[in-house]
Amino acid sequence: PRVSRSSKNEARRIFVRTFGCQMNRYDSERLVEILGGEHFVVVEDYRRADLIFINTCTVRDKAEQKAFSSLGRLKTLKRNRPELVVALGGCVAQQYGEELLVRWPHLDLVVGTHSISKVPAMLARYEVTGDRQAWVDFSYDFGDEPDGRVQPWKPEVSAYVTIMRGCDNFCTYCIVPMVRGSERSRPSREVIREVESLIECGVREVTLLGQNVNSYGQGASGEVNFAGLLQGVAQVEGLLRIRFTTSHPKDLSPTLMRCFADLPQLCPHIHLPVQSGSDYILHRMNRGYTRDHYLRLVKELRGMREDVAVSSDMIVGFPGETEEDFELSLRLLEEVRFDGLFSFKYSDRPQTGARLLNGKVEEEVKLERLQRLQALQERITLEKNEAQVGQTTLVLVEGPSQIGGSQLSGRTPQNRVVNFKGSPHLVGEEIPILITVA
Ligand code: SAH
Ligand code: SF4
Ligand code: F3S
């Protein structure tokens, strides 16, 4: 089936569904911008689209299943409208590649994690020849994408900027290095140029993205390290706030920690995944630090800036995790008192080291541990939020609140969401708000 295109300038409609982490969100935004140059406009209703792009995640088995059920649901639509182009991108696309075209006859394009910039060429070929294609090599270079950000998808107050791709850490549970390739940093001047162009589009806050931002710039001669990049970005005029994610505890440097004290634009919040409170499990995960080392880091961070918020990721039921190991994770939560926590049941992933480890934990045990962990964290989060009541804090107003009504929503420097009544012209402003209820 070929795409009918009567006139070169006629707008075509794209629908994008994004799963997974911020890096996928960023890639989806870039795709929309790239296709904007090809006369594509975004539609909210997938049934009206000429191109449907599903950007997938495969970090846990459930994420992979979600990707396939999302794809599966398009079967009838494609049968009724053969001219529709169905594309699968992201980490599931990278994981299976061409194989997907065999397994899913209604799928037209498979776009790997390094191939977003290839989509116009893939579409052009599809239109002429009707060839279904998979592009999953790791040949991507940052320079492949258009410079700067011409017209962000939606006018936003806060935007993501990817500063590096891939990961070389090989934590034993993790599939990311296999589907995102080896670590590569984006040249600092490109990052800064992109931040500048976002400011021109009205953005006030940027979040710098990478699987492990602490190792930014390593390996490129003459390049700055991550602290140096932060200093450069902080000089961009008109930028109110800088955030970054994710940091790996094993190489969180003193210089980077000092940025929290030295750079007023840097928000006092760090996402520092700990994964487990047990040294035995941390070792089996190949995380490269101990519980003590982690606790020391948190103390040093708080010494640098006492109001710094710390959030984290935790995995329960990693192979070999005993009740005692798990209790060490619970105790770590009590000790650190995270401001927020994402927690997951361990999930076996293809090509990872942990898949081959013995001591797999039963599903019910994992579930029970997850519930205990989450109940404990919920109490801590609530207590920490309650401690904010009566305080006035600066909120960057992002837009209408999800809770509806005439409420607006924004975030505190520590990344807490605040809902409040106010006039829509406050969007994009940083204003003091009195917290009345947690
Ligand atoms: N690069 C980031 C995030 C990676 S994925 C980092 O290093 O922290 C996000 C989170 O998913 C991880 O921090 C981990 O907690 C979780 N995760 C990754 N693989 C997993 C698996 N196989 N099972 C369960 N959780 C997993
Ligand atoms: Fe996965 Fe570890 Fe890399 Fe994070 S640092 S992406 S958890 S391998
Ligand atoms: Fe998922 Fe890929 Fe991100 S596996 S967490 S979308 S890097």
Side-chain angles (χ1 to χ4, degrees), residues 374-408:
Q374 291 183 339
L376 172 58
Q377 182 58 41
E378 258 168 49
R379 172 169 69 70
I380 295 169
T381 307
L382 184 61
E383 283 168 7
K384 295 200 96 171
N385 286 347
E386 277 166 347
Q388 304 290 313
V389 175
Q391 303 208 12
T392 298
T393 171
L394 277 180
V395 169
L396 176 60
V397 186
E398 291 180 1
S401 160
Q402 287 182 0
I403 63 175
S406 57
Q407 301 251 344
L408 292 175

Side-chain angles (χ1 to χ4, degrees), residues 19-24 56-59 90-91 113 175-176 179-180 211:
F19 295 99
C21 64
Q22 293 103 323
M23 276 152 248
N24 264 12
T56 60
C57 172
T58 187
V59 75
C91 295
T113 54
I175 194 172
V176 171
V179 289
R180 291 269 163 174
Q211 298 293 356

Side-chain angles (χ1 to χ4, degrees), residues 23 59-60 167 171 173-176 210-212 246-248 271 273 275 287 313-315 342 344-349:
M23 276 152 248
V59 75
R60 283 167 291 276
C167 180
C171 304
Y173 50 80
C174 188
I175 194 172
V176 171
Q211 298 293 356
N212 177 14
T246 301
S247 303
H248 196 304
H271 186 65
Q275 314 297 2
R287 289 291 287 177
D313 293 350
M314 190 77 103
I315 295 175
F342 297 100
F344 313 99
K345 284 184 290 177
Y346 168 78
S347 164
D348 250 347
R349 304 309 292 133

Side-chain angles (χ1 to χ4, degrees), residues 48-265:
R48 291 184 50 235
D50 302 303
L51 166 65
I52 297 181
F53 188 91
I54 311 173
N55 202 353
T56 60
C57 172
T58 187
V59 75
R60 283 167 291 276
D61 185 53
K62 222 182 183 170
E64 183 180 330
Q65 284 170 21
K66 255 194 220 163
F68 288 133
S69 63
S70 185
L71 176 62
R73 277 197 295 275
L74 298 177
K75 227 181 267 176
T76 326
L77 191 65
K78 174 78 180 180
R79 194 183 314 129
N80 296 339
R81 281 184 47 211
E83 74 283 2
L84 168 72
V85 184
V86 177
L88 195 83
C91 295
V92 172
Q94 189 66 47
Q95 188 184 353
Y96 294 104
E98 204 143 356
E99 203 183 307
L100 293 167
L101 295 176
V102 180
R103 192 169 145 203
W104 300 92
H106 71 291
L107 176 61
D108 302 305
L109 305 177
V110 175
V111 183
T113 54
H114 290 216
S115 311
I116 291 285
S117 58
K118 306 290 192 293
V119 173
M122 292 172 85
L123 276 173
R125 179 170 147 201
Y126 181 81
E127 281 165 11
V128 176
T129 64
D131 286 349
R132 300 161 69 226
Q133 306 147 60
W135 201 318
V136 289
D137 66 4
F138 278 147
S139 63
Y140 176 93
D141 206 13
F142 278 112
D144 287 355
E145 285 171 4
D147 239 3
R149 301 285 290 270
V150 248
Q151 19 143 223
W153 182 351
K154 304 165 195 147
E156 263 168 332
V157 173
S158 180
Y160 295 126
V161 176
T162 289
I163 62 163
M164 61 201 297
R165 295 189 183 260
C167 180
D168 291 340
N169 282 312
F170 295 95
C171 304
T172 54
Y173 50 80
C174 188
I175 194 172
V176 171
M178 276 59 89
V179 289
R180 291 269 163 174
S182 59
E183 194 179 287
R184 240 171 320 160
S185 294
R186 188 173 184 191
S188 55
R189 58 192 148 67
E190 252 185 58
V191 174
I192 289 171
R193 210 176 310 135
E194 182 160 327
V195 174
E196 287 167 346
S197 66
L198 284 167
I199 297 292
E200 274 165 33
C201 301
V203 164
R204 312 304 306 276
E205 171 185 277
V206 293
T207 303
L208 307 179
L209 296 179
Q211 298 293 356
N212 177 14
V213 292
N214 310 356
S215 55
Y216 174 84
Q218 279 172 15
S221 69
E223 218 5 318
V224 293
N225 61 16
F226 185 56
L229 180 72
L230 281 178
Q231 279 150 7
V233 171
Q235 315 243 310
V236 175
E237 218 163 302
L239 183 61
L240 284 180
R241 291 178 170 189
I242 307 170
R243 300 180 186 277
F244 61 83
T245 196
T246 301
S247 303
H248 196 304
K250 85 173 156 55
D251 32 37
L252 178 59
S253 72
T255 336
L256 178 52
M257 288 200 242
R258 218 166 308 123
C259 289
F260 283 106
D262 295 346
L263 298 176
Q265 296 94 328

